[in-house]
Amino acid sequence: FFPLALAYDLVASSMTAIERDPVIKLIAKATKHRVTYGCNYDWWDIGGNWHTHHDFIAMTALAIEGEKGYDPLIYERNLQKHRHYYTGGGVFESGFTHEGWVYFEMGQEGAGPTLLASMLRGENLLETTYAKNALTSAFYQLSPWTKGLNVNLYSFSDGVGAVSAAWPGRSHPYGMLLRHMFPNDPLIKFHYKLLTEHRRPGRFADIFWYLLSVEPDEDSGSFQSVADEMNLSLSLFCPDSGHSVFRSDWSEDAISLQFHARMDQYNQGHVHADINHFSLFAHGKQWISDSGYHTTNNDHHSTVLIDGLGQSGTTIKEAWPTLPGRFVDFFDDQGDFAHAVGDATFAYTYYRTWRGIIEPWMNEGIHKPFKMGNSFANYSQFYYPYKFDGSKRDMSDPSESWKASIPAADEGGFYNPVKHAFRTVIMSRGKYPYMIVLDDIQAKDGNEQEYTQVFQIRQAQGYSVKWGYEPLLYKQLSMTEPPTATDAVLQFRNYKDGDPDLHIRVIQGEGTSPEPISIKHLNDKGSHYGDNSYALHIKRRTTLPSFKTILYPRKNAGAPKLITSFDKIRGALIVTIDDQVDEFMFSTNKDSRTVYNATRISQTPSPTVFPSPTFSPTVLPSTLPSKKKSQIPSKRFSNSPTYLTSNHPSRKESEEPSLFLSSFPSLSHSFVPSLKEPCVDLRKGKCKKECVYTRKPKKVKVCLAKETFEYDCSQYTKRTPCGEIDVCKFKNGKCSHRCAGLRKQKCKEEQFCQHLKIQNPCLGCQLAAKCGSNR
């Protein structure tokens, strides 16, 4: 009835009372006592596209507002639903949406007009909720270029749609509304220009275009100009959903790395088995991609398979929907290096049944289903411990405590048990940006198996089987640089001299390799792309693969070569690309996860970055949590000063009484100090709060945490005079400034103390034992 209501609203003033009466009665009968979908739900349940798509009912009722038969509860209840949807139910503070962007846009076909109606009635939800922030997250999720039909709003899960076909396939009332309300906002103008150039007409909600559309500004800006004017950072992280986006810079040749380890799988219909999946764009091309609409199986995503089996579910043992992941760490200080860390242990180890359906394989061996419920695992156990503004998350607060009431699964069983399944993605910015993928995964039984690092390359660049916007653009491996077990060069099949390519290098992959890096044609079961899905496979037969893989996008054949040197014993990696030289020091923490320290040791300048970046101002209502302007907080979300694992406080075991945590300790939130200690090269007077002084046998600076891994003395670079060392012998509480084991006078003659490794792991490297002039 919305078309009737809209037409009536437009011409009612020119109709007589007799002409209006039957229309009013019809609309009243059609809307009285009706509710829009989601109005009866708890606020955290209101997050899907259907919860807003049917808001046309409320709009229909408003056409006869004030007339006999008008039911005011329809609009009032719908408005309350919108307050919840745009404040954590469907849109998080970061702007990321609970469902993928295309489905968010689908819901806005009903919600967009209703948003406008609420503003006309005095409640501007664009200013009192997170609604406006959603467009900022969309800006980050766009591919870095704006050329032709290659415009791609990546998004996630089913929200990735049919790439450039699905995104223009929506009518975009949300973008239209923002352009109507904020005509001078640079980000909105930029987005609106893309909509007008790439949209596909034909949906009924296009009526919004006819009512509000204007000609886009001829100069709508660029990624760089918008980022400059809006003071945007190079990354965006959502601690509520586990999504992150990193850019090397704001040029159209930039790398865009999009990674997620979703923990918001609750009450979600459009989910894929894709915890720790990432996508990579660079130099105007999409290299590593999502598998696309309705392609849910894990082997169609960029993760790791064990003997062909991945997370629940995989093509050979289908299960849906998948289970949540855990986002472990996020770091970006807008400098040379940034990273994100996800944990997919739970999604590998277990599956859940759907509506009581038991697949044949579920009754075999270890897979037999059992009851799970809240006591086994609930969503409070997957949360990221810090909020978007950087403050600590309080799980006892009503805005968070509801997570404990939602079980990760009511029923399920063992799927592909693993000891751990961590992935770390590292962005290296600079003149020659690249990324590193660290996969720490091991089967629960510890036996030798075939581990496959999978990079989804799909068949096309902006292509949809259904809409056919672009020709197929298959990818291939270069024959001039033939693939080996450690190296391969990925190209598009129409490659010619001067085109970009992607160099893949396996720095570490333990075990034997049964074949070179290769492209595999994937089983088309469930694929929206029919028989055209492909993935890059890197295989190792081993008990623990310890994958470390570099992906280096080269602008053309003349780009500098990738040169690497890896010392496995020390965990030291040197990456050289022309005059850009990076050093990585890797180690393993107590959760069996690789942590690292990174240093740029060349003088190549990094791209311009923006300190203390913020979103466009969006004032939040006083009734909502986080009562301040929506802004990008500290990009560390922790107190650690290095590029390594975060220093989030650990949670006590009693806070997580679930069964699965006792079996899989990697799911407890424990973090260890980085290899680069905060105590390094500090005098006692300047010792950071993380440092303490041991009492016996002598006072030395050490870190609070006591770990068993061997410390690397090479990180101690400062030459410290013997007379100022903090390893002292004490007499009457005063330091005599002597190097241990040597007389005071001889120590002074040698001038400097050497740093030595010692056996006690509680102490690490110290200025101790003897003096020497070589420092």
Side-chain angles (χ1 to χ4, degrees):
F1 291 91
F2 180 61
L4 171 65
L6 186 60
Y8 172 72
D9 193 58
L10 292 172
V11 302
S13 59
S14 62
M15 297 172 66
T16 66
I18 295 176
E19 291 171 331
R20 291 196 299 270
D21 185 63
V23 181
I24 293 171
K25 289 180 178 178
L26 182 58
I27 293 175
K29 186 173 183 179
T31 58
K32 194 169 185 178
H33 304 311
R34 294 283 298 277
V35 294
T36 58
Y37 185 50
C39 284
N40 296 325
Y41 287 17
D42 291 317
W43 72 265
W44 57 83
D45 271 348
I46 305 170
N49 63 91
W50 293 114
H51 296 142
T52 52
H53 188 65
H54 297 288
D55 290 349
F56 290 120
I57 299 172
M59 287 294 295
T60 301
L62 287 176
I64 60 170
E65 186 178 18
E67 302 282 359
K68 184 179 179 179
Y70 170 66
D71 184 354
L73 285 177
I74 297 177
Y75 170 71
E76 292 169 11
R77 295 182 69 183
N78 195 81
L79 180 61
Q80 180 63 22
K81 180 184 69 173
H82 274 204
R83 295 187 187 113
H84 295 322
Y85 178 85
Y86 293 111
T87 316
V91 181
F92 300 112
E93 187 175 359
S94 63
F96 275 95
T97 53
H98 185 45
E99 285 194 309
W101 181 263
V102 172
Y103 277 95
F104 168 76
E105 283 273 53
M106 176 182 173
Q108 297 310 295
E109 291 175 351
T114 316
L115 272 174
L116 179 58
S118 67
M119 284 184 264
L120 295 173
R121 285 158 179 79
E123 182 161 354
N124 188 349
L125 295 177
L126 290 175
E127 295 289 359
T128 61
T129 70
Y130 309 142
K132 189 181 176 186
N133 294 358
L135 197 66
T136 304
S137 77
F139 182 77
Y140 277 90
Q141 292 175 79
L142 283 166
S143 57
W145 58 86
T146 56
K147 311 180 185 89
L149 287 171
N150 286 337
V151 171
N152 184 344
L153 199 152
Y154 162 65
S155 192
F156 44 87
S157 296
D158 270 359
V160 77
V163 200
S164 63
W167 182 59
R170 306 258 67 91
S171 58
H172 303 290
Y174 172 78
M176 286 293 306
L177 176 62
L178 290 180
R179 176 64 177 82
H180 179 72
M181 297 299 300
F182 305 98
N184 297 316
D185 186 294
L187 190 150
I188 292 171
K189 287 196 296 184
F190 177 83
H191 190 87
Y192 180 74
K193 179 73 177 295
L194 295 183
L195 295 183
T196 59
E197 291 176 346
H198 301 290
R199 65 177 289 268
R200 174 178 58 84
R203 299 184 69 88
F204 169 74
D206 283 349
I207 189 68
F208 219 55
W209 281 88
Y210 304 133
L211 295 176
L212 299 180
S213 63
V214 294
E215 285 297 319
D217 294 343
E218 197 62 38
D219 181 13
S220 60
S222 63
F223 280 107
Q224 185 68 64
S225 67
V226 172
D228 288 345
E229 192 166 350
M230 302 294 291
N231 199 24
L232 297 178
S233 72
L234 290 171
S235 61
L236 181 63
F237 169 48
C238 181
D240 299 293
S241 65
H243 289 89
S244 58
V245 181
F246 302 90
R247 290 184 60 125
S248 59
D249 56 81
W250 286 107
S251 72
E252 296 208 346
D253 280 332
I255 282 184
S256 174
L257 168 61
Q258 308 192 26
F259 171 82
H260 67 260
R262 295 191 65 180
M263 59 278 207
D264 69 330
Q265 306 279 40
Y266 53 86
N267 305 326
Q268 185 64 277
H270 298 282
V271 295
H272 292 187
D274 60 355
I275 306 301
N276 290 346
H277 169 85
F278 73 93
S279 289
L280 179 67
F281 303 81
H283 301 307
K285 301 290 185 182
Q286 181 180 359
W287 297 103
I288 311 299
S289 57
D290 189 89
S291 54
Y293 182 72
H294 277 16
T295 311
T296 63
N297 289 327
N298 184 239
D299 44 331
H300 284 255
H301 292 84
S302 299
T303 59
V304 177
L305 304 179
I306 305 175
D307 281 344
L309 191 65
Q311 301 166 24
S312 57
T314 309
T315 302
I316 59 176
K317 288 183 180 177
E318 291 195 315
W320 188 92
T322 192
L323 291 161
R326 184 172 66 91
F327 207 102
V328 177
D329 191 33
F330 172 89
F331 169 76
D332 190 1
D333 68 351
Q334 307 300 288
D336 295 323
F337 306 100
H339 74 238
V341 184
D343 180 4
T345 304
F346 194 68
Y348 275 93
T349 300
Y350 300 103
Y351 71 88
R352 61 175 168 178
T353 59
W354 173 245
R355 295 179 177 176
I357 299 173
I358 305 296
E359 299 290 341
W361 65 264
M362 294 178 182
N363 283 318
E364 300 172 358
I366 66 167
H367 303 306
K368 292 182 179 180
F370 55 87
K371 297 297 181 184
M372 292 183 171
N374 282 29
S375 62
F376 183 79
N378 61 71
Y379 275 90
S380 70
Q381 294 156 311
F382 297 90
Y383 72 92
Y384 193 75
Y386 292 85
K387 299 182 349 184
F388 184 67
D389 63 3
S391 63
K392 185 171 175 58
R393 197 182 296 272
D394 180 5
M395 295 306 293
S396 65
D397 188 275
S399 65
E400 302 287 349
S401 60
W402 59 269
K403 294 184 175 79
S405 68
I406 302 181
D410 291 315
E411 180 186 56
F414 285 98
Y415 187 76
N416 187 13
V418 296
K419 294 180 180 179
H420 52 266
F422 295 107
R423 167 168 283 179
T424 302
V425 293
I426 304 169
M427 163 80 81
S428 173
R429 300 188 176 106
K431 187 177 178 181
Y432 305 107
Y434 60 90
M435 70 168 290
I436 303 178
V437 184
L438 311 177
D439 278 316
D440 298 301
I441 183 170
Q442 187 175 28
K444 186 68 175 176
D445 59 18
N447 294 333
E448 182 179 289
Q449 299 182 68
E450 184 177 84
Y451 290 83
T452 305
Q453 201 173 38
V454 179
F455 297 147
Q456 172 67 229
I457 60 175
R458 208 173 52 195
Q459 90 292 358
Q461 168 90 3
Y463 176 78
S464 163
V465 170
K466 185 173 182 180
W467 304 113
Y469 272 86
E470 293 188 11
L472 289 172
L473 294 176
Y474 291 93
K475 296 183 180 78
Q476 63 186 14
L477 294 178
S478 170
M479 288 296 103
T480 58
E481 299 176 79
T484 67
T486 59
D487 284 85
V489 175
L490 187 65
Q491 305 168 335
F492 280 82
R493 197 167 291 181
N494 59 354
Y495 177 86
K496 57 184 182 300
D497 288 343
D499 284 353
D501 58 23
L502 179 69
H503 188 170
I504 299 101
R505 172 165 293 172
V506 183
I507 297 301
Q508 183 177 11
E510 298 301 306
T512 59
S513 177
E515 62 186 29
I517 298 172
S518 58
I519 293 177
K520 301 296 183 182
H521 183 199
L522 302 181
N523 187 317
D524 65 354
K525 188 176 182 181
S527 173
H528 183 67
Y529 293 92
D531 199 34
N532 298 308
S533 289
Y534 293 84
L536 200 72
H537 280 198
I538 301 171
K539 295 185 178 183
R540 294 293 186 271
R541 187 153 192 86
T542 181
T543 58
L544 181 65
S546 301
F547 283 119
K548 294 178 177 66
T549 305
I550 294 179
L551 284 76
Y552 166 44
R554 303 188 298 198
K555 190 169 184 177
N556 51 52
K561 299 297 183 183
L562 172 68
I563 302 172
T564 58
S565 172
F566 182 57
D567 183 337
K568 179 180 172 182
I569 303 299
R570 295 177 55 235
L573 169 66
I574 303 294
V575 179
T576 303
I577 307 175
D578 197 24
D579 60 348
Q580 178 179 298
V581 184
D582 297 335
E583 180 183 48
F584 296 86
M585 295 299 300
F586 297 108
S587 63
T588 304
N589 72 8
K590 66 180 182 181
D591 289 334
S592 301
R593 175 165 63 87
T594 300
V595 294
Y596 74 101
N597 179 37
T599 306
R600 177 144 299 162
I601 56 180
S602 71
Q603 299 301 312
T604 304
S606 299
T608 303
V609 296
F610 310 97
S612 303
T614 59
F615 282 130
S616 54
T618 301
V619 180
L620 303 179
S622 59
T623 57
L624 299 174
S626 185
K627 293 49 171 197
K628 38 186 180 177
K629 291 184 179 180
S630 172
Q631 53 184 262
I632 299 177
S634 167
K635 285 300 169 183
R636 177 65 195 163
F637 286 91
S638 76
N639 298 319
S640 175
T642 71
Y643 296 105
L644 292 166
T645 182
S646 65
N647 240 0
H648 301 318
S650 300
R651 295 191 296 180
K652 296 179 181 178
E653 197 68 27
S654 60
E655 296 178 56
E656 300 179 323
S658 69
L659 296 178
F660 76 83
L661 281 174
S662 61
S663 301
F664 300 94
S666 63
L667 285 173
S668 62
H669 286 266
S670 58
F671 302 87
V672 300
S674 62
L675 183 62
K676 182 74 171 178
E677 298 179 80
C679 314
V680 171
D681 293 334
L682 288 178
R683 299 180 185 178
K684 179 177 179 181
K686 295 183 180 180
C687 194
K688 297 182 180 180
K689 64 182 181 180
E690 292 88 357
C691 302
V692 296
Y693 293 86
T694 59
R695 295 180 179 178
K696 294 180 181 180
K698 49 186 175 289
K699 287 197 173 184
V700 295
K701 288 187 306 217
V702 298
C703 293
L704 287 172
K706 296 180 180 181
E707 294 303 325
T708 58
F709 58 81
E710 188 177 53
Y711 284 62
D712 177 17
C713 289
S714 65
Q715 65 178 311
Y716 290 71
T717 57
K718 181 179 177 181
R719 296 205 309 173
T720 307
C722 290
E724 297 178 8
I725 63 171
D726 292 313
V727 178
C728 306
K729 289 195 173 183
F730 280 74
K731 185 176 182 180
N732 298 325
K734 295 183 179 180
C735 178
S736 63
H737 299 299
R738 295 195 334 184
C739 294
L742 295 176
R743 290 184 302 172
K744 179 178 178 181
Q745 186 61 39
K746 184 175 181 180
C747 189
K748 286 185 176 180
E749 291 174 355
E750 295 291 343
Q751 291 188 313
F752 297 103
C753 295
Q754 288 183 322
H755 300 125
L756 300 178
K757 291 182 180 179
I758 64 172
Q759 297 301 314
N760 188 341
C762 299
L763 301 182
C765 300
Q766 307 170 47
L767 299 174
K770 66 178 183 179
C771 295
S773 58
N774 64 331
R775 297 290 290 182

